[in-house]
Amino acid sequence: MLASLSRFPLRVVLVLVPFFVGWVIYLTFWDTPYYKHEHNTIVNLPGSDSNSEFFSSPSSPSSSSSSPPPPTPSPSMPADDEEYVAICFTAKNESLNLPELFTHYYYHVGIRRFYIMDDGSTPPLSSYSYPIPKEHITFTYYTAAQHHEHDNQLFLNDECHRLYGNKHAWMAHFDCDEYLEVVRRNETLVSILKDLSLDPRIGQLSINWQ
């Protein structure tokens, strides 16, 4: 009993010290200007609410941030200026995800035509600014009354193909959290698809995500 009691204060110290250290770190992080800026930016977005694949925009709402814009990345892939391939995204309230998505596909894959099938975002996704030239993005807005009752994403994919498919040789349909990267040297997405187009038996390319 005496041995057990003598170890009790040490156990208390071992439990309480990590707790207080963690609390101090938490308060320090909460009070940093960076976190305050990110927190306020997310909370104050006007109208924001709590929502295997195949193959122009007004200014953004006002923001209190005074931080300078990030530097423009240098393209690492040749631009698909002929718009041989386009990417169609079905999106709702994805204004925080689209900037990274556009940056990746525009600068690292060479895509020059994006179709955003806006599934009733509030505010519309076309009302934001994005880090690529706005002339490369086409927005199509659908209201709640136009919502398909069974499979709305499949419906909007079909709508994208119906409205814009004849403008391109290939059209990809991705979600806003799906990224494609061409990893072999001397290859681009366009060169891969042009090689596939030489085979008349190929009309679609499916990709397994890893």
Side-chain angles (χ1 to χ4, degrees):
M1 173 65 78
L2 292 176
S4 178
L5 289 176
S6 67
R7 290 194 299 268
F8 178 75
L10 179 59
R11 292 177 180 176
V12 173
V13 171
L14 291 176
V15 171
L16 292 181
V17 167
F19 172 81
F20 284 113
V21 171
W23 183 250
V24 170
I25 293 174
Y26 171 78
L27 291 178
T28 303
F29 174 72
W30 176 272
D31 198 40
T32 58
Y34 175 78
Y35 182 80
K36 285 182 178 179
H37 166 69
E38 291 298 314
H39 179 75
N40 291 337
T41 301
I42 294 173
V43 172
N44 292 335
L45 281 175
S48 61
D49 55 23
S50 58
N51 191 19
S52 157
E53 304 297 327
F54 61 92
F55 293 166
S56 290
S57 173
S59 300
S60 65
S62 60
S63 171
S64 59
S65 171
S66 59
S67 301
T72 302
S74 299
S76 58
M77 279 285 178
D80 177 22
D81 291 325
E82 62 175 315
E83 297 186 3
Y84 185 78
V85 57
I87 301 183
C88 181
F89 297 100
T90 296
K92 182 174 183 178
N93 297 329
E94 295 276 7
S95 60
L96 296 179
N97 293 327
L98 287 179
E100 181 180 1
L101 195 74
F102 287 143
T103 298
H104 173 76
Y105 281 105
Y106 184 89
Y107 291 104
H108 301 295
V109 185
I111 299 299
R112 289 299 182 267
R113 178 54 52 196
F114 301 88
Y115 295 107
I116 302 299
M117 310 303 284
D118 189 341
D119 188 15
S121 298
T122 307
L125 295 172
S126 60
S127 64
Y128 293 87
S129 294
Y130 297 103
I132 66 172
K134 63 182 181 180
E135 61 266 22
H136 296 289
I137 313 171
T138 301
F139 293 92
T140 307
Y141 189 85
Y142 288 82
T143 64
Q146 296 171 292
H147 197 278
H148 195 274
E149 59 180 335
H150 296 300
D151 191 335
N152 198 58
Q153 182 168 6
L154 182 60
F155 165 70
L156 291 178
N157 284 345
D158 288 343
E159 281 288 278
C160 187
H161 193 273
R162 180 181 67 84
L163 294 171
Y164 309 113
N166 63 349
K167 300 178 182 294
H168 313 278
W170 290 81
M171 175 174 283
H173 298 273
F174 294 156
D175 292 338
C176 291
D177 60 352
E178 293 172 336
Y179 290 78
L180 182 69
E181 189 78 62
V182 178
V183 297
R184 290 184 177 179
R185 294 183 178 181
N186 303 320
E187 277 191 339
T188 66
L189 180 59
V190 171
S191 70
I192 293 171
L193 294 177
K194 285 188 174 182
D195 286 344
L196 293 176
S197 296
L198 298 176
D199 190 335
R201 299 170 299 174
I202 297 177
Q204 179 173 301
L205 173 64
S206 297
I207 301 171
N208 292 322
W209 299 105
Q210 296 182 352

